[in-house]
Amino acid sequence: MDARFTKAEAALLLPNATAASRREAEVEAIRLAAAAARNEAIATLFLRGLRRITAAIVGLPHRFATYNALRALSDRELRDIGMTRYDIGRVFDADLNPRPANDAGERPSPRAA
């Protein structure tokens, strides 16, 4: 009897190497796809934030001009457009202090108290 195995016999005794390598290849492909999706999501968020910052910086001179123009108006002119001096800061920085929808812009008069 010969103690040597033929290649065909050895292949039957060894675990299926091709199935394991296919499985490893599938897992690696999934890992790479997940990493690519993660990188794309991070890049998208970064670019969105960068665009917001850029828009804020580019719009800043216009916002300062609006603020200064409103500050230059008299109290009567402000009332004509439905504002008070209190509202000027809110118009300039509307994102921080949004007004409720039912607020008509009227403030209690200091004389009424």
Side-chain angles (χ1 to χ4, degrees):
M1 200 151 130
D2 192 6
R4 289 180 281 166
F5 293 107
T6 64
K7 287 185 181 181
E9 291 171 332
L12 292 174
L13 294 173
L14 294 175
N16 193 349
T18 58
S21 65
R22 266 192 249 134
R23 173 93 172 125
E24 289 172 2
E26 289 173 3
V27 168
E28 183 64 14
I30 292 170
R31 188 188 69 76
L32 290 174
R38 180 200 63 213
N39 292 342
E40 184 178 342
I42 290 171
T44 301
L45 289 174
F46 178 75
L47 289 175
R48 187 180 303 157
L50 189 61
R51 284 187 195 115
R52 283 186 176 182
I53 291 170
T54 303
I57 291 171
V58 168
L60 201 55
H62 176 69
R63 291 178 74 167
F64 275 124
T66 302
Y67 180 77
N68 290 331
L70 289 172
R71 297 268 307 166
L73 295 176
S74 69
D75 288 337
R76 181 168 184 205
E77 291 169 326
L78 286 171
R79 265 182 291 160
D80 286 344
I81 61 173
M83 290 181 65
T84 64
R85 292 241 173 249
Y86 173 78
D87 294 324
I88 293 174
R90 299 181 107 189
V91 170
F92 179 69
D93 207 0
D95 296 334
L96 295 178
N97 297 317
R99 292 170 78 178
N102 62 354
D103 188 2
E106 299 175 17
R107 301 285 176 251
S109 170
R111 295 181 204 152

